[in-house]
Amino acid sequence: MALEEKERIIIPDENGEEHLFEVLFTFDLDDTNQSYIAVTPVEQSEEEEVEVYAFRYEEKDEDDLSLFPIESDDEWEMVEEMLNTLAEQENEE
């Protein structure tokens, strides 16, 4: 069985430094009519707890995404619930 190559994206921080992230999954929420992406930094040590970041995104074209911070508590709760559900499904496989 071949390992599936994970999609990776580069996200600049507030200082303009670029960081490589692995895309865990993307999903849409019907409640908000928005698309979301969950990513984790590629460069993490094995001992560290895995950090997962979520953003709302809009696709400009196939290779260009605009990321937006999730700002409202209600939106965070919906995203967090979806992340937990997707993580549980992945663990069951």
Side-chain angles (χ1 to χ4, degrees), residues 49-88:
E49 186 175 328
V50 176
E51 292 183 57
V52 176
Y53 299 93
F55 299 93
R56 182 173 48 84
Y57 76 91
E58 294 174 6
E59 281 188 77
K60 292 182 179 178
D61 59 46
E62 191 174 314
D63 295 325
D64 195 10
L65 296 178
S66 292
L67 299 179
F68 303 94
I70 299 170
E71 296 176 344
S72 78
D73 289 341
D74 290 341
E75 191 176 18
W76 259 120
E77 287 175 19
M78 287 186 285
V79 169
E80 190 172 47
E81 187 175 316
M82 181 60 86
L83 288 173
N84 290 335
T85 300
L86 292 171
E88 286 172 13

Side-chain angles (χ1 to χ4, degrees), residues 14-70:
E14 60 275 355
N15 299 323
E17 290 184 45
E18 294 182 339
H19 301 276
L20 187 60
F21 288 83
E22 190 169 280
V23 176
L24 298 175
F25 34 75
T26 60
F27 56 94
D28 299 321
L29 288 180
D30 295 334
D31 294 350
T32 63
N33 259 349
Q34 301 289 336
S35 298
Y36 298 88
I37 187 168
V39 298
T40 187
V42 169
E43 295 178 17
Q44 289 190 121
S45 72
E46 295 286 325
E47 301 84 44
E48 286 183 286
E49 186 175 328
V50 176
E51 292 183 57
V52 176
Y53 299 93
F55 299 93
R56 182 173 48 84
Y57 76 91
E58 294 174 6
E59 281 188 77
K60 292 182 179 178
D61 59 46
E62 191 174 314
D63 295 325
D64 195 10
L65 296 178
S66 292
L67 299 179
F68 303 94
I70 299 170

